[in-house]
Amino acid sequence: MLYAKRSSAAKSYPLTQVKSLRGAIFGIAGLALCWLVVSHSVVAYLSSVSSEEALKIRANDSRSLLRLVTDELGPTLQSDKTRASPRLSSDQLTALSEKAETALAAAPLSARANRLLGQVAEVQGSEEKAEKFMYAAARRSLNEKIAVDWMMRKSVERKSYRSAAFYADALLRSTPEVSAYVAPVLARMAEDSAARPELKKLLATNPNWRSIFFAQLGASLTDARTPLDLFLSLKDSAAPPTTDELNYYESFLFQHKLYELAYYVWLQFLPPEKLASAGFLFNGDFQRKPSGSRFDWRAPTGANVIADFASRPENASNRALAIEFGPGRVEFPGVSQSIMLPPGAYALKGSFMGEISGPRGAVWSARCIDGANLGQSQMILGSFPNWRAFEFPLVVPEKDCAAQLIEFKLAARSPSEKLVFGVIWFDDLAISRAATGALD
């Protein structure tokens, strides 16, 4: 019995010891876990408010290191003379590189760390090293905009146009607001016969930034015909040029007074059924909704006035131009269309009905876009319950009148003469050559 008791006591002592040891291990592990949680939370917080304090707790915290590098390097990179005379000394740049390398070691997949290392290398004058890190940054994340932009420009410089198109697309898809900086690069590709095919392929995919690109392209061009080549390549594609894209180009051409080229582009992209009916004046029966082109009707928004293509009062199947004034003072920008008449004598004809009440009425007029008046209708004022015809002559001179403007506007000469009320309708407008001697 005594032996049995001793044997039992001998066995219970190690079991108690094991339990105590286990408890100690769990306690230590719990403390360690608590420390990890607390330290990570504290470091994460400090890294956003004081990188230096965060690094006192964890010397290799990547976020804090990268924030320090960004803060110190940023002002240097804002200078256009970075490479010639960097603000930071060689020793300072080396220190920044070491911090970024430490951050990269702690977070090997960090695109930001690679990008900062690339920027430091560029300031140091090491293009090869800079490209290595910028490529790694862009490969890890196409949202790393500085790296993607760097790779795009480097690709163009090296004539790697497929890569340039890829990086430009990635940059614009994620950040359309940088298009003003990317457009000049793409414009350079558009004007390079070797690069143009890659750009055409990219535009044919109809990326979400295409319209913005065409809106900004003109500012970077050296040849006004470049967009036309791009548009023609898209004409028969699955994503042909949109009306807005063509109108952006038209605005650019008008701004530079390239009226003939603008008219040619407009005709090139008119649908066959519209092209067949295009004469000296387009859409004079007002049956089609305006496209926004200057060679179609344009009616900018005014105040206290509405201009619309509406069903005729007596025939709902036909449409006409309806303009409703007032009551009260109106601000009427006018209804207009740009035309391209060769020199000679013409007549503008049409019909109207309705009413305009006020001190003065409104007139149809024709003038050269660059200034000279060519002709004007009689003032329309009063009540006209039935449709009636109107006509006026216009003569286009031999010089300084490459394009003309047809316009309907108020004849007001003062604010008080803008107190107009009524609804006036117009239909069947057309321009024809005048018979020889008819306008002499």
Side-chain angles (χ1 to χ4, degrees):
M1 277 304 282
L2 182 61
Y3 175 78
K5 288 181 181 179
R6 285 180 179 178
S7 178
S8 174
K11 289 180 180 179
S12 65
Y13 177 75
L15 182 60
T16 303
Q17 194 175 35
V18 167
K19 289 182 178 179
S20 299
L21 181 60
R22 184 182 299 168
I25 292 172
F26 280 125
I28 294 171
L31 290 172
L33 181 60
C34 288
W35 165 249
L36 287 172
V37 172
V38 172
S39 64
H40 275 75
S41 298
V42 171
V43 170
Y45 168 73
L46 289 176
S47 67
S48 64
V49 295
S50 176
S51 299
E52 291 85 354
E53 293 299 320
L55 291 172
K56 289 179 181 178
I57 299 175
R58 186 182 301 118
N60 68 339
D61 179 62
S62 61
R63 285 170 296 184
S64 299
L65 288 167
L66 296 179
R67 181 181 290 275
L68 285 177
V69 175
T70 299
D71 291 344
E72 294 184 46
L73 189 60
T76 299
L77 295 176
Q78 292 172 6
S79 170
D80 291 332
K81 300 180 180 179
T82 296
R83 298 182 186 181
S85 56
R87 179 183 63 84
L88 299 175
S89 67
S90 177
D91 289 342
Q92 288 174 310
L93 289 170
T94 300
L96 289 180
S97 182
E98 290 174 352
K99 289 178 182 177
E101 287 174 351
T102 301
L104 184 61
L109 299 180
S110 173
R112 185 182 177 193
N114 277 287
R115 185 257 296 172
L116 287 169
L117 283 167
Q119 289 180 279
V120 172
E122 184 178 28
V123 176
Q124 291 173 322
S126 177
E127 287 289 320
E128 183 178 351
K129 191 175 180 181
E131 183 169 3
K132 168 191 170 184
F133 286 116
M134 290 296 192
Y135 175 76
R139 186 176 180 182
R140 282 166 172 75
S141 175
L142 290 175
N143 289 321
E144 196 58 60
K145 302 175 188 63
I146 293 176
V148 174
D149 178 77
W150 196 97
M151 290 302 301
M152 174 189 66
R153 296 174 191 278
K154 180 60 67 175
S155 297
V156 171
E157 183 181 316
R158 291 187 172 175
K159 302 185 184 303
S160 299
Y161 299 122
R162 182 175 296 180
S163 295
F166 169 79
Y167 288 119
D169 183 43
L171 192 59
L172 288 169
R173 284 182 186 274
S174 64
T175 320
E177 58 267 24
V178 303
S179 58
Y181 303 98
V182 180
V185 178
L186 294 181
R188 179 178 168 185
M189 291 178 62
E191 296 191 325
D192 185 328
S193 59
R196 197 178 303 131
E198 291 299 333
L199 179 58
K200 289 179 178 179
K201 289 179 187 176
L202 179 56
L203 294 175
T205 65
N206 197 22
N208 63 342
W209 48 264
R210 197 177 80 173
S211 287
I212 298 175
F213 162 69
F214 278 120
Q216 298 176 336
L217 178 60
S220 304
L221 291 176
T222 60
D223 187 342
R225 297 167 296 180
T226 297
L228 175 57
D229 182 56
L230 298 177
F231 285 134
L232 289 174
S233 72
L234 297 170
K235 186 175 182 180
D236 297 321
S237 71
T242 67
T243 299
D244 285 343
E245 290 169 348
L246 291 168
N247 287 342
Y248 292 142
Y249 184 35
E250 184 181 278
S251 295
F252 165 77
L253 294 174
F254 264 70
Q255 181 183 352
H256 292 82
K257 299 185 178 182
L258 299 172
Y259 307 124
E260 292 184 0
L261 179 56
Y263 190 64
Y264 173 78
V265 173
W266 179 69
L267 290 175
Q268 282 291 316
F269 291 92
L270 268 184
E273 66 277 9
K274 293 184 180 180
L275 183 61
S277 62
F280 291 138
L281 189 71
F282 183 70
N283 199 13
D285 58 4
F286 305 102
Q287 291 299 105
R288 292 175 289 273
K289 182 179 179 180
S291 63
S293 167
R294 285 168 168 77
F295 298 110
D296 198 349
W297 295 112
R298 305 183 81 194
T301 302
N304 208 20
V305 60
I306 299 173
D308 193 16
F309 288 16
S311 297
R312 289 176 54 146
E314 82 291 355
N315 186 350
S317 63
N318 287 335
R319 301 174 73 81
L321 171 63
I323 304 170
E324 181 178 354
F325 297 103
R329 181 174 296 170
V330 304
E331 294 295 336
F332 181 42
V335 176
S336 64
Q337 181 180 140
S338 296
I339 57 175
M340 297 287 292
L341 298 177
Y346 300 86
L348 188 150
K349 304 177 182 180
S351 59
F352 72 97
M353 68 165 290
E355 179 183 3
I356 297 182
S357 298
R360 286 172 67 83
V363 295
W364 282 97
S365 64
R367 63 178 175 86
C368 299
I369 283 183
D370 294 326
N373 291 323
L374 303 177
Q376 180 176 295
S377 72
Q378 292 184 343
M379 186 184 302
I380 299 173
L381 179 64
S383 178
F384 309 94
N386 300 311
W387 286 97
R388 65 168 59 191
F390 76 98
E391 177 180 348
F392 71 91
L394 58 133
V395 179
V396 178
E398 292 285 343
K399 295 182 180 180
D400 303 322
C401 196
Q404 305 84 36
L405 186 73
I406 301 298
E407 186 175 27
F408 178 72
K409 58 185 179 181
L410 287 176
R413 299 164 299 185
S414 65
S416 63
E417 292 180 344
K418 294 180 180 180
L419 295 168
V420 182
F421 172 77
V423 179
I424 195 76
W425 295 76
F426 293 97
D427 203 357
D428 302 321
L429 266 64
I431 294 177
S432 59
R433 287 188 180 274
T436 303
L439 299 178
D440 292 345

